[in-house]
Amino acid sequence: MVLSLLRALASTIALVALYYLLPLDNSSIGIVVVILTIGLAGLVGLVAVQVRWIARSRFPGLRAVEALATSIPLFLLLFAGTYFILGRFYAGSFSEPLTRTDALYFTVTVFATVGFGDITATAELTRVVVMGQMVLGIVVV
């Protein structure tokens, strides 16, 4: 059980570190579309593999925790990266400029359906992406 929890924690930490270390500052809108499309396709593939691992595991509950600890952060970080790049590429995309932490914060508030309103999508393109996250977030939950 401890090993499973450590693997879950390690995968989450690795994904968050990767998010902060990737050179997203000079990316273009084309890169956003490619990253989000490939990332979401990869997430679907990862979930499919994880479901098979859970079904075959001696301890499916522990394996499911590991799967969630990888899948949900990956989902959130894909959208946070997208919002960060959109905010830099289209200055009016959000109600304020976004740092990586702001983009992650916005992503989590949308996913959690909290919607504090302190950061809002103001451009049509960003609203479309946010709606996509909302719909996919419901599927993930």
Side-chain angles (χ1 to χ4, degrees):
M1 179 165 23
V2 172
L3 187 59
S4 289
L5 293 175
L6 287 175
R7 280 194 300 252
L9 182 62
S11 68
T12 301
I13 289 170
L15 287 169
V16 171
L18 186 62
Y19 167 72
Y20 279 99
L21 294 173
L22 282 174
L24 300 174
D25 296 58
N26 298 321
S27 298
S28 68
I29 193 67
I31 298 294
V32 169
V33 172
V34 169
I35 288 173
L36 190 57
T37 303
I38 291 173
L40 290 174
L43 179 62
V44 169
L46 176 65
V47 169
V49 168
Q50 289 173 335
V51 167
R52 289 179 51 197
W53 288 347
I54 292 167
R56 295 179 181 170
S57 177
R58 272 184 55 200
F59 303 103
L62 291 176
R63 181 57 85 170
V65 168
E66 286 183 61
L68 288 174
T70 304
S71 301
I72 291 177
L74 179 58
F75 175 79
L76 295 174
L77 292 168
L78 282 169
F79 277 97
T82 300
Y83 298 143
F84 176 72
I85 295 168
L86 283 172
R88 293 180 84 68
F89 192 70
Y90 294 116
S93 293
F94 293 94
S95 56
E96 61 184 71
L98 299 182
T99 65
R100 288 179 196 244
T101 302
D102 293 334
L104 184 56
Y105 164 81
F106 177 75
T107 304
V108 171
T109 60
V110 169
F111 181 73
T113 68
V114 175
F116 293 121
D118 53 345
I119 301 173
T120 58
T122 56
E124 188 172 348
L125 174 63
T126 0
R127 288 179 176 164
V128 169
V129 175
V130 171
M131 285 187 297
Q133 182 199 344
M134 289 174 184
V135 171
L136 292 172
I138 291 169
V139 171
V140 167
V141 171

